Amino acid sequence: MRVIYTGGLNMNLVEIRDVTKYFPVQRGFIEQIISRKQEFVRAVDGVSFDIRKGEILGLAGESGSGKTTMGRLCVRLIRPTQGEILFDGINIAEVEGTEMRNLRRRIQFTFQDPSSSLNPRLSIGDAIADALRFQNMGSPEERKEIVESVLERVGLAPADTFYHRKPHQLSGGQRQRVVFGRAIVLSPEFIVTDEPVAMVDVSIKAQLLELMLDLKKELNLTYLFISHDLATARHVCDRIAIMYLGKIIEIGDDDQVYEDPLHPYTDGLISAIPVPNPKIQKTGKVPRGEIPSPIDPPSGCRFHPRCPKAFDKCSTEEPTLKDMGNGRCVACHLY
Amino acid sequence: MVDVLRIKDLIVEYTTQRGTARAVDRVSLTLGENRTLGLAGESGCGKSTLGRSLMKLVPYPGKIVSGDIILNIDHDITWKKGTIKKGDVSILELNDDQLRMIRGSEIAYIFQDPMTSLNPMLSIGKHFIQIQQAHDPTIEDEQALERAKEVLESLGILAERVDDYPHQFSGGMRQRVMIGLGLVLRPRLLIADEPTTSLDVIVEAQILEEMAELKEKFNLTMILITHNLGVLAQTADDVAIMYTGRLAELAPTEALFENPQHPYTEALLQSVPDVTKPDKKLAWIPGAPPDLVNPPDGCMFNPRCPFAMDICKQEEPPLIQSDTGGLVACHLYGRS
């Protein structure tokens, strides 16, 4: 088991408390006239968890589970409908103006697709320098110096040959490095990274993951690592949280969750991962069906229509996240 | 065992303003009946181009320069303008009319992206009617729909959904529809190009399982193109690793995963995260694949290869028999 350095008593950098995020479903003109009931996509629906200082918490789940929305909430790209998101004790859901601007330095986000999150007309050096400019940091010369050191730090050396390149002149892996450079240039404490290696070839995946881990060590970072790829998450995360239809259904230490998944969904999800070893055959625990719509989620436990172990109570009563000891929590009536 | 497909020295080139890039370079393969061949490699290694060239569907400005693709057909194909006799048929020598009869009914191709491969204006049933009537205009709509329902049900889609439109299906269901469209004419060879890449793991596992069942049921021979080596480990009988348009290694799946011969195969396997082995030290391959317009001399992999010798920079390694029952193109073997 990995030992996590917590650095004192208050070891949580981020605390999520009962957060919900509902997006209104767009109605057509006629639907508005006949005043059909307003519906909501319940992307995140009553989620609580902590992110400890210095750890990498994985947030995994299928498309539509709400993991990206959760990540965006953590950096206040969007505001929660309800609940508190405490970063270092400050509720970022309510912070405004200068205070928010100052917080932005400490919290960063990397988007999934590096090609669409970099401005094609801006050189990558300027793209990184913009983060400094918006924070009114340094003179143009100083900013250039900082950016060059950041470029070298993320492996784009020599910096002066990369500074003026445009995104299209870089490979996918290099673009992802620029995205990381832009995230670290303000020396943040916390980075939410959304599928950082989903778009790159497997042959360079490990290189980017190692960069992420190196940066974490050097800069004392804390990561929320959002991924649908559970195999990759296992290699980088200290703890992992599994989301299903806007809820966290299991959270715990990486090894515990992977070796002994408690929730039937976690079990199914892990057994569905293709293993690069022809000798290991599928056990056939893969759940039936697909993730239902978050507009009108199933009653009781949201997984019950697909669950092989569902019983009466599961369709009527919603299970809460129960503490199983050792920081392990699971939301299932079996326990 | 009959060889369903034989590829001989196939060369496919793309002509661009910068010059000519050879996307498929002297590839030879033989595929026996009922086998599943996995084609793997990094983006740009030519695996999709190879797949498409088997149906003579290489997109412009690509061109099949030379080589031979021989498909074995187990029955005569007759339509109003002519016939194709059963036996070996050379795909590259067929005219457009003949190709149209082969495509879909003998070789089916499942494209990478199920979102853009279906017509949003047509119901699913209409897709099935069109593909069947294109090959046999005498088939009535009802009859075609019956067959469609049968195929869809074997893929776990309710028969009444033939009246629905593509946007009413989820990504996984759309991919199942694509597979259904590929199978409705009972082809002999199915080429699936990244069939599960855009899907979540659970749906991916479901679809791979269904494909394995259908392969038995329809007596299919398959080529599975994917960058995901985990998927190949679970489904393929043989795996071909491609690099810069060439075959680097071809071996039975177990041999390839357990005892990779080519340094490139080994490096690729080292870079794949394995959920059952959390302590595996993930490696990566330094550098990037070469520019195909200006390829390096000798072995194409030599600039990235940890074992590169002098000869690797001068001479191209031939594809030779390996000790594990496969083929490998590397100077480390067969010289001593």
Side-chain angles (χ1 to χ4, degrees):
Chain A
M1 213 175 89
R2 264 160 280 194
V3 178
I4 303 154
Y5 174 69
T6 54
L9 273 177
N10 187 13
M11 47 188 216
N12 293 334
L13 184 65
V14 182
E15 296 177 356
I16 314 285
R17 294 284 170 263
D18 279 323
V19 167
T20 58
K21 179 67 190 177
Y22 290 179
F23 294 105
V25 177
Q26 205 120 69
R27 288 178 300 176
F29 177 63
I30 298 202
E31 284 171 327
Q32 280 179 32
I33 288 179
I34 59 171
S35 61
R36 216 174 74 176
K37 205 174 107 246
Q38 175 68 58
E39 290 178 316
F40 292 92
V41 173
R42 303 183 190 183
V44 172
D45 203 359
V47 164
S48 302
F49 62 93
D50 300 326
I51 304 171
R52 298 175 192 153
K53 215 176 180 112
E55 78 168 345
I56 303 181
L57 175 68
L59 189 59
E62 293 174 273
S63 336
S65 61
K67 53 190 193 304
T68 296
T69 305
M70 193 61 246
R72 286 171 179 240
L73 285 165
C74 286
V75 298
R76 242 270 315 262
L77 280 173
I78 45 178
R79 284 171 198 259
T81 310
Q82 260 171 26
E84 286 187 332
I85 298 162
L86 303 171
F87 174 80
D88 205 9
I90 308 161
N91 184 2
I92 62 166
E94 281 165 4
V95 170
E96 300 288 344
T98 329
E99 207 183 340
M100 190 64 230
R101 181 174 282 242
N102 290 336
L103 265 180
R104 292 243 181 259
R105 281 188 208 177
R106 305 173 62 192
I107 309 174
Q108 288 291 323
F109 190 91
T110 73
F111 291 91
Q112 198 174 124
D113 180 2
S115 339
S116 60
S117 57
L118 292 171
N119 184 341
R121 298 176 56 173
L122 208 57
S123 77
I124 59 164
D126 289 341
I128 297 175
D130 266 0
L132 295 164
R133 196 163 58 85
F134 291 144
Q135 292 282 351
N136 297 318
M137 289 164 85
S139 64
E141 293 75 35
E142 284 165 349
R143 291 203 283 264
K144 186 156 192 235
E145 219 165 277
I146 297 172
V147 170
E148 285 187 344
S149 74
V150 164
L151 282 174
E152 298 208 341
R153 182 60 213 87
V154 295
L156 298 172
D160 50 337
T161 66
F162 277 99
Y163 192 99
H164 294 289
R165 288 211 206 163
K166 300 276 161 62
H168 76 268
Q169 293 167 306
L170 301 178
S171 70
Q174 288 172 328
R175 268 181 232 148
Q176 194 64 58
R177 287 169 184 275
V178 175
V179 168
F180 272 110
R182 195 168 54 176
I184 60 162
V185 67
L186 294 171
S187 324
E189 293 156 52
F190 175 51
I191 298 181
V192 176
T193 174
D194 191 2
E195 307 270 15
V197 292
M199 313 285 267
V200 300
D201 255 316
V202 64
S203 60
I204 57 165
K205 205 180 249 183
Q207 207 174 1
L208 287 168
L209 294 175
E210 186 151 301
L211 172 70
M212 262 184 68
L213 295 178
D214 285 350
L215 292 174
K216 170 184 177 265
K217 244 185 254 163
E218 270 171 53
L219 307 167
N220 287 322
L221 291 169
T222 304
Y223 281 112
L224 178 65
F225 183 88
I226 301 171
S227 179
H228 71 282
D229 179 354
L230 283 109
T232 304
R234 170 140 215 202
H235 283 276
V236 281
C237 299
D238 301 308
R239 286 194 309 143
I240 187 142
I242 311 284
M243 274 188 94
Y244 186 74
L245 271 185
K247 294 263 183 203
I248 289 202
I249 52 112
E250 185 160 2
I251 184 166
D253 183 81
D254 219 26
D255 289 339
Q256 287 177 25
V257 173
Y258 281 99
E259 312 259 306
D260 178 29
L262 294 176
H263 199 287
Y265 177 67
T266 316
D267 196 17
L269 199 59
I270 290 171
S271 62
I273 305 167
V275 178
N277 181 350
K279 286 206 167 144
I280 296 180
Q281 282 305 315
K282 284 270 156 57
T283 42
K285 279 186 290 190
V286 178
R288 301 158 281 159
E290 285 179 52
I291 193 163
S293 158
I295 294 176
D296 188 16
S299 63
C301 171
R302 293 179 178 196
F303 186 57
H304 88 262
R306 301 171 70 192
C307 184
K309 293 178 180 163
F311 51 101
D312 299 350
K313 198 178 168 189
C314 298
S315 58
T316 52
E317 209 179 297
E318 194 166 329
T320 50
L321 211 55
K322 284 183 211 81
D323 195 341
M324 309 293 289
N326 266 339
R328 183 83 179 276
C329 296
V330 62
C332 179
H333 287 310
L334 289 172
Y335 304 97
Chain B
M1 195 168 65
V2 190
D3 289 335
V4 171
L5 182 74
R6 292 203 304 275
I7 307 171
K8 278 184 207 153
D9 287 323
L10 187 70
I11 297 177
V12 183
E13 286 179 347
Y14 288 93
T15 312
T16 66
Q17 284 182 334
R18 290 174 50 239
T20 303
R22 198 169 265 198
V24 175
D25 191 4
R26 286 158 291 160
V27 168
S28 298
L29 279 173
T30 304
L31 188 56
E33 198 170 14
N34 280 334
R35 302 288 284 181
T36 299
L37 172 75
L39 266 184
E42 289 170 273
S43 333
C45 71
K47 53 192 193 298
S48 287
T49 302
L50 175 60
R52 281 164 161 263
S53 60
L54 301 182
M55 283 176 97
K56 223 174 158 183
L57 277 177
V58 182
Y60 180 82
K63 222 183 126 206
I64 298 174
V65 177
S66 65
D68 213 352
I69 300 165
I70 294 165
L71 179 76
N72 183 277
I73 297 176
D74 59 359
H75 60 271
D76 293 345
I77 304 173
T78 326
W79 71 106
K80 65 173 189 264
K81 285 188 197 158
T83 45
I84 299 174
K85 283 257 179 285
K86 76 173 181 184
D88 288 348
V89 175
S90 172
I91 298 282
L92 300 182
E93 282 163 19
L94 298 179
N95 61 34
D96 285 355
D97 224 30
Q98 291 168 317
L99 273 172
R100 207 167 294 135
M101 297 317 293
I102 296 271
R103 289 180 190 144
S105 65
E106 293 304 315
I107 310 179
Y109 199 101
I110 299 173
F111 289 92
Q112 227 168 87
D113 187 1
M115 308 297 160
T116 53
S117 307
L118 294 168
N119 185 339
M121 301 292 285
L122 299 182
S123 70
I124 296 306
K126 193 76 190 160
H127 280 90
F128 277 95
I129 293 170
Q130 284 189 348
I131 193 170
Q132 290 178 69
Q133 289 180 344
H135 287 268
D136 181 4
T138 61
I139 289 185
E140 300 284 327
D141 286 8
E142 288 78 27
Q143 205 185 339
L145 273 180
E146 276 316 306
R147 269 177 144 185
K149 286 176 183 169
E150 197 186 309
V151 172
L152 287 176
E153 275 184 342
S154 66
L155 281 156
I157 300 177
L158 294 175
E160 62 249 38
R161 295 206 70 184
V162 288
D163 297 326
D164 287 350
Y165 287 80
H167 74 270
Q168 293 168 295
F169 288 81
S170 67
M173 285 296 177
R174 263 180 257 191
Q175 191 57 278
R176 288 186 171 95
V177 170
M178 290 301 297
I179 295 169
L181 283 169
L183 294 180
V184 70
L185 295 170
R186 305 285 160 92
R188 195 132 190 249
L189 176 66
L190 179 71
I191 305 166
D193 191 355
E194 307 270 11
T196 57
T197 300
S198 55
L199 305 172
D200 278 309
V201 277
I202 290 184
V203 181
E204 174 176 65
Q206 290 168 347
I207 288 185
L208 291 175
E209 212 168 282
E210 286 157 12
M211 282 177 77
E213 278 165 28
L214 289 166
K215 192 191 149 196
E216 289 300 310
K217 190 172 162 191
F218 291 122
N219 206 9
L220 282 171
T221 305
M222 255 172 59
I223 295 180
L224 187 62
I225 301 170
T226 178
H227 68 280
N228 189 334
L229 290 164
V231 167
L232 292 185
Q234 311 286 314
T235 50
D237 298 313
D238 304 286
V239 174
I241 304 287
M242 282 183 80
Y243 189 74
T244 57
R246 295 215 66 196
L247 286 183
E249 184 167 358
L250 169 69
T253 307
E254 260 189 45
L256 186 113
F257 279 87
E258 264 172 33
N259 198 357
Q261 300 286 300
H262 200 288
Y264 179 61
T265 313
E266 196 175 347
L268 264 189
L269 289 173
Q270 281 301 319
S271 66
V272 183
D274 183 344
V275 75
T276 60
K277 289 188 195 134
D279 299 327
K280 174 174 172 180
K281 179 98 180 82
L282 294 184
W284 64 80
I285 306 175
D291 179 5
L292 289 178
V293 176
N294 289 307
D297 287 335
C299 170
M300 296 271 215
F301 188 56
N302 87 67
R304 304 172 80 188
C305 183
F307 305 107
M309 305 171 283
D310 287 345
I311 187 173
C312 303
K313 295 177 182 112
Q314 293 146 13
E315 251 177 69
E316 199 181 333
L319 201 62
I320 56 165
Q321 286 285 334
S322 73
D323 299 338
T324 56
L327 297 167
V328 63
C330 179
H331 285 306
L332 288 174
Y333 303 98
R335 290 233 153 212
S336 52

